[in-house]
Amino acid sequence: MMKLAQKLFIECFSMVRILPDILKEEEGLGAHTAVILASQTFGIRYFWCHPSVRPLGINKAPQCPNCHAVRTLSFTSLTTGSRDFTISCNCGWVEELSMGNPKAILPKVMNGAVIGWANELLYGMKADVDKVWSAHRDFYDRL
Ligand SMILES: [Zn+2]
């Protein structure tokens, strides 16, 4: 976290544009926390996805709730477009989960796995985000 906090930002450069690139360099941060960008008109939550650590961004304890063994859980492979998956243990325990926000934007599928930073709109409209994204840099400090 300190590494991200210590990044040098250029004044008046769009946070909406640069934050996704900064987060790509901070995959380790995503294993611990989500990052929220809060502006006056919209809020975006960035959260990290990994098929075995945080499937679709859901943080699951590495311990089976049935047999209490650690690191015995396995996740069904996630295919493009699917937001449902199962977690199972060698002991026979199975849980079905579904991603909370169907409108969340997931990272691209790489080698059949959803890995990387996803994002979801917490408040505001996508049009507000698009307006800031496409604004000329002379207007960054006015949006
Ligand atoms: Zn178990």
Side-chain angles (χ1 to χ4, degrees):
M1 182 62 192
M2 285 307 293
K3 191 174 165 193
L4 178 64
Q6 291 173 348
K7 294 260 184 202
L8 179 63
F9 296 102
I10 297 170
E11 188 176 346
C12 293
F13 194 84
S14 172
M15 201 60 176
V16 172
R17 281 183 170 264
I18 197 65
L19 190 55
D21 286 337
I22 291 172
L23 291 175
K24 281 180 190 170
E25 299 172 10
E26 303 290 344
E27 302 259 319
L29 173 67
H32 299 283
T33 186
V35 174
I36 294 175
L37 173 63
S39 79
Q40 291 179 345
T41 55
F42 60 84
I44 304 173
R45 177 177 170 262
Y46 296 90
F47 57 98
W48 189 65
C49 300
H50 188 279
S52 62
V53 182
R54 284 186 182 246
L56 295 180
I58 296 172
N59 187 15
K60 291 297 293 181
Q63 185 175 27
C64 173
N66 184 48
C67 70
H68 307 293
V70 179
R71 300 195 184 279
T72 56
L73 302 179
S74 59
F75 302 86
T76 55
S77 60
L78 300 167
T79 56
T80 307
S82 173
R83 303 214 170 187
D84 301 319
F85 61 98
T86 59
I87 303 173
S88 59
C89 177
N90 301 336
C91 72
W93 175 84
V94 177
E95 181 180 5
E96 293 182 12
L97 286 173
S98 185
M99 185 178 201
N101 183 351
K103 291 183 179 177
I105 298 169
L106 296 174
K108 290 178 182 169
V109 176
M110 294 184 345
N111 299 324
V114 179
I115 301 175
W117 288 89
N119 69 78
E120 63 182 344
L121 202 57
L122 295 177
Y123 60 88
M125 308 277 289
K126 187 174 181 317
D128 297 327
V129 179
D130 293 343
K131 182 179 171 188
V132 172
W133 180 272
S134 59
H136 188 272
R137 67 168 296 175
D138 291 345
F139 297 100
Y140 284 169
D141 60 341
R142 291 180 224 163
L143 294 172

